[in-house]
Amino acid sequence: MVDISDLHARGLRRRQKMFGEGDVAKRMAAAGDFGTPLQDIINAYVYGDVWERSGLSDQIRSLVMLGITAASSKPAEFRVHAKGALANGCTATQVQDVLLLVAMYCGIPAAIETSKIAAEAFGEAPPEG
């Protein structure tokens, strides 16, 4: 039987490595005490269990998350996972290719906003004005 406190600790470490301690603290505190059970599940099962599996590399897992969040029109989550993709060594070209697949299979509107977010994340956003 897996120790849930071990999963939680392992997941929190992975999450902080990918997104930074400050960003994780903000996300964990965003819904106050009400959100604590959900954050516990995210730390233990999402990052402590699923993200720790050996079947996919961290890069591939990040690219999959970008595709999922773009395709399901979740730009805020896409922004979070774009930061994680950078931390996991994904390249701008890899992310661009994922978003082109999203555009072709899920519709261009699903890829428009996330392409802007990805450009910002990779420091390629055009100057304003």
Side-chain angles (χ1 to χ4, degrees):
M1 181 122 183
V2 177
D3 179 6
I4 187 76
S5 62
D6 180 50
L7 282 178
H8 185 277
R10 186 169 61 199
L12 182 58
R13 281 191 305 273
R14 173 177 279 278
R15 202 173 173 193
Q16 289 171 334
K17 180 180 173 190
M18 285 174 59
F19 307 117
E21 289 183 26
D23 285 354
V24 171
K26 282 183 207 171
R27 288 179 66 84
M28 288 180 63
D33 290 340
F34 185 86
T36 298
L38 178 59
Q39 291 299 319
D40 289 344
I41 289 168
I42 291 168
N43 286 332
Y45 296 105
V46 174
Y47 293 100
D49 184 17
V50 175
W51 272 83
E52 290 289 315
R53 297 176 59 86
S54 62
L56 299 173
S57 69
D58 290 347
Q59 276 189 340
I60 291 173
R61 214 175 296 273
S62 281
L63 293 170
V64 169
M65 289 306 304
L66 292 177
I68 290 168
T69 56
S72 60
S73 296
K74 305 285 189 256
E77 285 298 311
F78 182 91
R79 186 177 302 281
V80 169
H81 283 283
K83 183 176 183 176
L86 280 167
N88 285 331
C90 296
T91 68
T93 300
Q94 289 173 318
V95 174
Q96 185 180 52
D97 285 353
V98 166
L99 291 176
L100 289 171
L101 285 166
V102 168
M104 295 297 103
Y105 285 92
C106 302
I108 289 174
I112 290 174
E113 186 172 2
T114 51
S115 288
K116 292 175 190 173
I117 294 167
E120 291 170 12
F122 284 92
E124 297 181 16
E128 302 244 350

